Amino acid sequence: MTTSTPTAYAVSPDSGEHWSKEGAWRVAEGIHRIPLPLPMDGLKAINVYVIETADGLTLVDGGWAIEVARDLLERCLRQVGYGFGDIRRFLVTHVHRDHFTMATVLGHEYGADVALGLGEKPALELLNDPTLDESPFLDVLRTAGAHEIAELWAAGGGERPDMSMWILPDTWLDGDHEIPVGTRVLDAVHTPGHTPGHYVFAEKQAGLLFAGDHVLPTITPSIGFTVPPTPDPLGDFMGSLTKVRALPDLQVLPAHGPVAPSSHARVDELLAFHDRRLELSLAAIADAPGTGFDVAHQLAWTRHEKAYDELDLFSQGLAAMETKAHLELLVARGQATRQETEAGVLFQAAPTSA
Ligand SMILES: [Zn+2]
């Protein structure tokens, strides 16, 4: 799961500065990284990547549609000789607000094409459902056994989102395919897991991977924080990591954190991390059944090995959902059984798995 602390001192090689420092940092010939602020968010910033072509710009991700980020994006584009009117296309890695919403707003204002993975359509349709009377995440928390957290989340908000930020994209990305960007060719690779419709974009010629939140250099992307829920998000995520591991070793251009040298090295670390969490989760349900919420209490969280109760309320919710995702994968592998109850989904180690 995510935490702000490890990235707080991370220097990016393109800038020689902390990765979130303002600027249009040159990553490669014709490619700039512009970190945009995420106030109120532990992730600190999101990297938007600007790809120059002879007839305008393609941006990978757009940032969160807030005034301070919009002003900063305009200022940084100007530093490299461009304005919003030069943007032809947004390739958005996934539907989360810090990636998608500014692309939507600017795309509609300036007539740029906004492309997003088809797997995100159910989430957008759910957000646009006029009969929605509470946050759809509350039910996900309840099935993870986190009833108190669901109540606190409900009390802490629940107003309908600004729907002008959540309109459908112009283009749905479907399957794996090549996207020409000027003289470059990007391989659009469907990488479900963090969200069902997540995409990464590989430019093999230049050795670059626009990784979105799929491969992050210093933190692990949250798993299970999606609506409508999918049956096995961790299984999807690990399958997508294996898929990216089969690409050539590429420089990682992440959405959060500094540029990192090796996609292979980082994917191996992420797979090992989740294998270890799966072992610990299985051990936690060996003798008695438990929900995601129960098992999350028995695990340590963040790089600082915090106890569950030391996490903030939002992170506690994410942790319960992510632990449920680990337990669901144990079920899919035949190592555990599941039972739906009033208290949430109860998991127990299968008798043969000891
Ligand atoms: Zn993100």
Side-chain angles (χ1 to χ4, degrees):
M1 70 164 288
T2 56
T3 169
S4 64
T5 317
T7 56
Y9 301 100
V11 168
S12 195
D14 50 359
S15 59
E17 300 275 0
H18 183 270
W19 70 271
S20 66
K21 189 176 164 77
E22 170 178 340
W25 306 105
R26 185 185 172 284
V27 180
E29 183 61 40
I31 301 178
H32 304 276
R33 180 179 66 85
I34 300 180
L36 298 180
L38 299 179
M40 318 286 293
D41 190 316
L43 294 172
K44 302 246 184 280
I46 171 165
N47 293 315
V48 169
Y49 293 93
V50 177
I51 306 173
E52 299 176 78
T53 78
D55 73 339
L57 304 176
T58 290
L59 268 58
V60 178
D61 284 330
W64 185 14
I66 48 175
E67 204 62 35
V68 58
R70 182 185 169 123
D71 292 348
L72 185 56
L73 179 60
E74 192 166 33
R75 195 154 71 236
C76 292
L77 282 177
R78 215 179 298 131
Q79 277 176 29
V80 284
Y82 296 100
F84 287 151
D86 295 307
I87 303 173
R88 297 285 170 269
R89 171 160 57 183
F90 287 94
L91 298 174
V92 182
T93 59
H94 63 291
V95 74
H96 284 163
R97 69 180 182 186
D98 50 328
H99 301 254
F100 180 65
T101 56
M102 183 107 81
T104 311
V105 170
L106 291 179
H108 280 77
E109 263 178 64
Y110 289 91
D113 185 87
V114 177
L116 182 72
L118 183 60
E120 310 294 46
K121 198 174 182 186
L124 280 175
E125 286 174 345
L126 185 59
L127 281 168
N128 280 284
D129 179 352
T131 66
L132 202 65
D133 57 0
E134 65 167 26
S135 162
F137 286 106
L138 301 185
D139 252 348
V140 183
L141 285 170
R142 292 180 192 120
T143 61
H147 298 270
E148 305 101 280
I149 294 175
E151 263 170 53
L152 292 166
W153 277 30
E159 71 280 5
R160 286 194 66 85
D162 174 358
M163 294 323 301
S164 68
M165 296 183 186
W166 296 105
I167 43 188
L168 299 182
D170 306 290
T171 302
W172 290 113
L173 305 173
D174 190 11
D176 296 351
H177 57 282
E178 293 183 347
I179 300 178
V181 177
T183 57
R184 306 166 184 276
V185 178
L186 300 188
D187 282 353
V189 183
H190 183 209
T191 48
H194 179 60
T195 66
H198 193 288
Y199 267 80
V200 300
F201 304 97
E203 193 196 349
K204 290 181 196 154
Q205 186 86 33
L208 302 173
L209 180 70
F210 298 93
D213 283 2
H214 182 56
V215 181
L216 296 172
T218 56
I219 55 176
T220 63
S222 69
I223 301 296
F225 184 49
T226 54
V227 287
T230 50
D232 183 14
L234 183 63
D236 294 342
F237 179 64
M238 294 178 80
S240 296
L241 287 174
T242 303
K243 192 173 175 184
V244 167
R245 185 62 171 78
L247 297 171
D249 197 13
L250 303 168
Q251 199 177 6
V252 180
L253 311 184
H256 310 284
V259 170
S262 166
S263 57
H264 284 182
R266 187 55 185 154
V267 165
D268 290 346
E269 287 171 3
L270 290 168
L271 286 170
F273 170 83
H274 284 294
D275 282 338
R276 181 74 188 128
R277 300 296 275 190
L278 286 165
E279 280 171 26
L280 293 170
S281 302
L282 185 59
I285 52 168
D287 299 322
T291 63
F293 182 69
D294 298 330
V295 173
H297 279 81
Q298 299 183 47
L299 302 175
W301 293 95
T302 82
R303 197 179 265 198
H304 304 284
E305 305 273 300
K306 286 187 183 177
Y308 184 82
D309 289 330
E310 291 178 77
L311 299 174
D312 64 60
L313 178 65
F314 180 64
S315 299
Q316 285 185 358
L318 292 184
M321 291 188 272
E322 182 161 316
T323 305
K324 178 168 180 284
H326 280 91
L327 297 167
E328 296 284 10
L329 179 52
L330 292 172
V331 173
R333 290 180 174 178
Q335 293 175 284
T337 58
R338 77 196 293 283
Q339 191 195 351
E340 296 188 14
T341 72
E342 284 284 289
V345 182
L346 282 175
F347 297 88
Q348 183 152 26
T352 52
S353 68

